[in-house]
Amino acid sequence: MNKRIVAICSLLEQTAWHYGNHGISEKCCEDLSFAEYTALKTVYENQQSTIQFIGYALNFTKSGATKIINRLEKKGYVIRKISPRDGRFCCVSITDKGIAIISRIVENQTIQLENILKHLTSEKKEDIKIALETLVSALQENKESKPALEDDLKGECC
Amino acid sequence: MNKRIVAICSLLEQTAWHYGNHGISEKCCEDLSFAEYTALKTVYENQQSTIQFIGYALNFTKSGATKIINRLEKKGYVIRKISPRDGRFCCVSITDKGIAIISRIVENQTIQLENILKHLTSEKKEDIKIALETLVSALQENKESKPALEDDLKGECC
DNA sequence: ACTAATAGTTGACAGTGTCAACCATTGCTG
DNA sequence: CAGCAATGGTTGACACTGTCAACTATTAGT
C-alpha cells in the first residue's frame, strides 16, 4: 500500500475533523450548524438553487435538503419562490440577512485561520493553497456529475 | 481581508465536507460512523487511552466519550479495564477485531484516494502531503493543550 | 476521618438526516 | 384532450448521536 497516500488520507481526516461540526461550528457559526452554513453558502454561490441541487451539493436526500432549507428560511437567511417556468421547482435565494451572516462567518474564520497560520512564510501558505486546490478539484471530478442537474438548473430556474 | 486565507478556508471546508460524515462514512466505514472511526483510531494510536483523553481528542464532553466507547465496546472493537493504579480511570484498548476493521477501512480509503489522485504527478502528491502536514501541525499547536492530560495519561494509565 | 477533587456513568432531551408515503405540476401518449 | 408516468418537493415517524445535569465511585489532602 502506498505510504504517502495513507499519510494524506490520515491528514485529510484530521483536517476534516477540525473543520467539521466539532471544530468550527460552536465557535463561529452563530446560530448555524456546519451543515446549515454549507447549505447557505451553496445558495449564496448558486443563486436560485433548486432544492435538489442543494441536496446534491451536500450529499443529502431531497427531504434532507427540504428540511435544512426550512430551517434557513425560518431563520430568515433564505427565501423560497416557486418557479414561474415550472411549478414543480423551488427557487431558493439568499436574503440580505443571509449574506450578512455569511460575511461575518467568513471573516471570523479567516481571522482564526490567519492566526493559526501566522508562523508560516508566504510561500508555504501559497503551497498549501495550491495543494488544496489540486486536491479539491480532483475530489470534484471524482464526484459523478448528474448532467441533468448541472445543465438545466445552473442558476436559472426562475 | 487576506484573499489567500479566505481561499484556503473555503477549500478546507470543502475537503472537510467530503471527508466528514457525508462523504466517507457510508462508503467505507462499514458499521462505524465517522465519529466512531475517529474514536477507534484514537484508541488504536494511543493504547490504554482514558475516556477523558478520547473525549479531548474528539472535542467531545466526557459523557459523549463514554457513549461512543460504549458503542465501540458493544460492537467488539475495544475493551474497557479499570486502572489498577487508580480506580477512577478507565483504560480503553483496541481488540483484534478493532485492529482488523481499522486496517480494512484504511485500505479502502487509500484505494479510493489513490484513484482520485491518480492523474497527479508524484511531485504534486508530495506537495499535497507536505502542505497538509504543515497545516495539521499548525492546527494542532493552536489547540490549547491540557497539560495534565498530556503528561499524565499518555498511554500509561494501566 | 472529613472534605474536595477527579473519572466516569446515566437519563432526559434536542438536533438532524433518512425513509416511505404523499401531493402537485408537467409532459407524453394514444 | 384524457389518462398516466415522471419529476420536484413536502411531511411524519423514526433512529442516531451528542450535550447537560445529576449522580456514583475512587483518590488525595488536611
Side-chain angles (χ1 to χ4, degrees), chain A residues 22-33:
Chain A
H22 302 285
I24 277 188
S25 59
E26 32 192 352
K27 297 183 182 173
C28 58
C29 278
E30 307 194 17
D31 62 345
L32 296 179
S33 68

Side-chain angles (χ1 to χ4, degrees), chain A residues 29-79:
Chain A
C29 278
E30 307 194 17
D31 62 345
L32 296 179
S33 68
F34 186 42
E36 287 166 351
Y37 166 65
T38 306
L40 186 56
K41 216 173 174 197
T42 303
V43 175
Y44 178 63
E45 286 164 358
N46 305 277
Q47 280 292 349
Q48 314 287 5
S49 309
T50 61
I51 296 285
Q52 299 257 6
F53 179 78
I54 294 162
Y56 171 69
L58 299 185
N59 274 323
F60 277 11
T61 61
K62 56 184 184 170
S63 84
T66 293
K67 302 213 168 164
I68 209 165
I69 294 304
N70 282 347
R71 268 149 38 210
L72 290 175
E73 194 173 29
K74 196 170 289 174
K75 291 175 184 171
Y77 298 133
V78 302
I79 41 170

Side-chain angles (χ1 to χ4, degrees), chain A residues 95-123:
Chain A
T95 62
D96 289 345
K97 194 178 167 196
I99 293 175
I101 193 177
I102 282 278
S103 310
R104 280 200 304 279
I105 292 175
V106 167
E107 192 175 344
N108 278 337
Q109 285 177 7
T110 302
I111 290 169
Q112 271 190 38
L113 185 60
E114 209 156 26
N115 188 44
I116 289 173
L117 301 183
K118 68 185 170 211
H119 297 307
L120 304 185
T121 62
S122 187
E123 288 81 34

Side-chain angles (χ1 to χ4, degrees), chain B residues 78-104:
Chain B
V78 302
I79 41 171
R80 270 186 176 84
K81 227 178 3 190
I82 293 174
S83 167
R85 271 201 347 209
D86 185 333
R88 290 169 299 184
F89 285 81
C90 204
C91 307
V92 181
S93 45
I94 195 166
T95 62
D96 290 345
K97 193 178 167 194
I99 294 176
I101 194 176
I102 282 279
S103 309
R104 279 200 304 279

Side-chain angles (χ1 to χ4, degrees), chain A residues 3-37:
Chain A
K3 275 200 168 182
R4 189 198 286 140
I5 304 283
V6 173
I8 293 176
C9 224
S10 171
L11 291 162
L12 283 173
E13 284 164 12
Q14 288 178 66
T15 56
W17 196 259
H18 257 279
Y19 271 80
N21 251 332
H22 302 285
I24 277 188
S25 59
E26 32 192 352
K27 297 183 182 173
C28 58
C29 278
E30 307 194 17
D31 62 345
L32 296 179
S33 68
F34 186 42
E36 287 166 351
Y37 166 65

Side-chain angles (χ1 to χ4, degrees), chain B residues 36 65 73 137 150 152:
Chain B
E36 287 165 350
E73 194 173 28
S137 74
E150 298 288 351
D152 260 10

